[in-house]
Amino acid sequence: TQYTADNSINYNLNIRGNVCNDDSRRPSPIYLDAGTEACQDTAEIETRQIQPDTDCGKDTLVFEILPHGLRAYFPRNNRRCDRPTIVLEEFFNGVMVWMDVHVRAEHVVDGRRYDAELQMVHLGTGGQNHQVAFVGVLIEANALEDDAEFQFLLDGWQKVHDDYTTQCENNGRRTLRKKQQQQSVKEPQSVKPRFLQNNNKRRTQGGNACMPDRYGRGCEPLGPRKRMFPYNLWPTIYYYRYRGAMTSPPCSDIAHWRVMDRPLSITRRQFKQLATLNASYRDADCKPASAVSTTKENYRPLQRTNDRHFVQHCTYDDFPMQMYQPDEQ
């Protein structure tokens, strides 16, 4: 079965109907415990070097307010610019397709459910196009100062909200664009992402005896790689990993999950703005039509963990921060 992106674009994720009520598979989200199985990864999530002239910048993001929450996505293909990409242990190459936000966090870590969770969704490329990878960033509203990068996302959704409100006030009815109904984006068919063309290049750490501290210090002039947006929102390189599923219909268990083990800190003001936007969807008649709860929450309840999830916690004891030469940082 093909997963429909819009009226003209399909890609095959090998989805066979809605399995959200089937807990015999690998459902998500789940409870994450620091005492789980030892990490098998030997390196952090790899991102490519920033290329300002060709990378999809923040200004290329399209923001949506949907009935079930908030979404932002990059251009539909790499003909305009190169979308953000990740490599998981050299076995999964993924291109970012969208970001969703959940209030409160969907995953629970050591008994704690954080205030929100930003999920970055990546579609596998080549022979991996039946799989997806989710990078979950837990969010805690405890900062004294606003996080500027997260505020950029909030400003994008706020503009969508304000534009809808103005249109409703002027016309009494807002005009729905087709793209406001989209649930996914297109994976390019004819353009191979440049990061895949250079993926065989060896990383510096493999041949370097220097062991940096957990912050990437002590191996100068070698240093960690600067992360492009939105990966610069990651508060750490360490994470919980498991094999799981999408947390929204059809809940297919085709997902590689990486959930950061430290939260991103935002202010209470930012969290209040996030929650308000999360529940601000209006229908074609400008009437409130959000599907989130009355408390402005849109997280899926915890699912039962089983031995097919293979939950692991990857920490500094498992691998150090990746070091690069100055011209590769």
Side-chain angles (χ1 to χ4, degrees), residues 121-142:
V121 186
H122 302 77
L123 179 65
T125 59
Q128 300 164 322
N129 61 355
H130 298 322
Q131 303 177 57
V132 292
F134 287 76
V135 178
V137 179
L138 304 170
I139 297 173
E140 184 175 15
N142 65 346

Side-chain angles (χ1 to χ4, degrees), residues 215-217 222-226 321-324 329:
Y215 304 105
R217 300 173 301 200
L222 300 180
R225 173 167 287 171
K226 297 182 179 68
M321 188 173 290
Q322 187 67 46
M323 294 288 103
Y324 295 87
Q329 296 175 14

Side-chain angles (χ1 to χ4, degrees), residues 253-278:
D253 57 345
I254 56 173
H256 302 275
W257 275 96
R258 301 291 187 275
V259 180
M260 298 299 173
D261 68 359
R262 284 176 47 201
L264 170 70
S265 292
I266 64 174
T267 61
R268 295 299 300 176
R269 184 205 66 78
Q270 288 181 304
F271 178 71
K272 182 177 180 180
Q273 182 182 10
L274 173 65
T276 300
L277 289 169
N278 197 45

Side-chain angles (χ1 to χ4, degrees), residues 18-240:
N18 190 314
V19 295
C20 293
N21 293 324
D22 184 359
D23 62 2
S24 67
R25 303 169 72 90
R26 292 188 299 243
S28 295
I30 61 173
Y31 185 97
L32 301 173
D33 190 332
T36 51
E37 182 180 343
C39 174
Q40 300 300 310
D41 285 357
T42 60
E44 63 186 274
I45 302 172
E46 184 177 353
T47 61
R48 69 169 183 268
Q49 188 175 14
I50 296 174
Q51 301 293 336
D53 295 335
T54 57
D55 288 339
C56 294
K58 293 191 291 187
D59 60 334
T60 65
L61 274 176
V62 177
F63 294 86
E64 295 181 324
I65 298 177
L66 301 169
H68 58 269
L70 305 173
R71 173 169 293 174
Y73 60 86
F74 284 95
R76 298 183 174 279
N77 56 52
N78 285 357
R79 295 181 181 89
R80 178 178 174 185
C81 56
D82 290 339
R83 290 174 291 170
T85 57
I86 61 171
V87 178
L88 304 181
E89 275 291 292
E90 300 183 350
F91 74 86
F92 178 91
N93 299 311
V95 179
M96 180 177 288
V97 287
W98 70 71
M99 293 179 281
D100 286 329
V101 180
H102 296 269
V103 180
R104 303 160 59 201
E106 294 203 301
H107 292 88
V108 173
V109 178
D110 284 341
R112 180 172 185 181
R113 189 186 294 276
Y114 285 90
D115 296 312
E117 184 174 335
L118 175 65
Q119 295 176 357
M120 304 179 184
V121 186
H122 302 77
L123 179 65
T125 59
Q128 300 164 322
N129 61 355
H130 298 322
Q131 303 177 57
V132 292
F134 287 76
V135 178
V137 179
L138 304 170
I139 297 173
E140 184 175 15
N142 65 346
L144 298 179
E145 297 182 359
D146 288 349
D147 183 279
E149 297 294 343
F150 192 77
Q151 187 61 45
F152 177 86
L153 295 177
L154 292 175
D155 290 344
W157 287 309
Q158 188 68 55
K159 185 178 187 304
V160 172
H161 172 271
D162 293 346
D163 288 347
Y164 289 170
T165 300
T166 299
Q167 185 175 343
C168 287
E169 291 174 348
N170 292 338
N171 303 327
R173 179 184 178 91
R174 71 176 175 89
T175 301
L176 287 176
R177 297 173 296 174
K178 286 185 178 180
K179 68 180 179 181
Q180 291 173 329
Q181 302 302 317
Q182 293 168 356
Q183 299 300 305
S184 57
V185 297
K186 178 183 177 183
E187 168 62 16
Q189 300 298 316
S190 60
V191 179
K192 187 176 183 181
R194 279 189 276 273
F195 91 105
L196 291 178
Q197 299 172 12
N198 300 317
N199 198 38
N200 292 327
K201 187 173 182 179
R202 295 292 297 174
R203 292 174 292 178
T204 303
Q205 185 70 38
N208 175 39
C210 178
M211 179 68 72
D213 66 14
R214 65 182 63 243
Y215 304 105
R217 300 173 301 200
C219 294
E220 293 76 6
L222 300 180
R225 173 167 287 171
K226 297 182 179 68
R227 297 193 187 277
M228 66 179 66
F229 180 87
Y231 302 139
N232 58 354
L233 286 165
W234 295 353
T236 178
I237 67 169
Y238 301 111
Y239 48 78
Y240 295 88

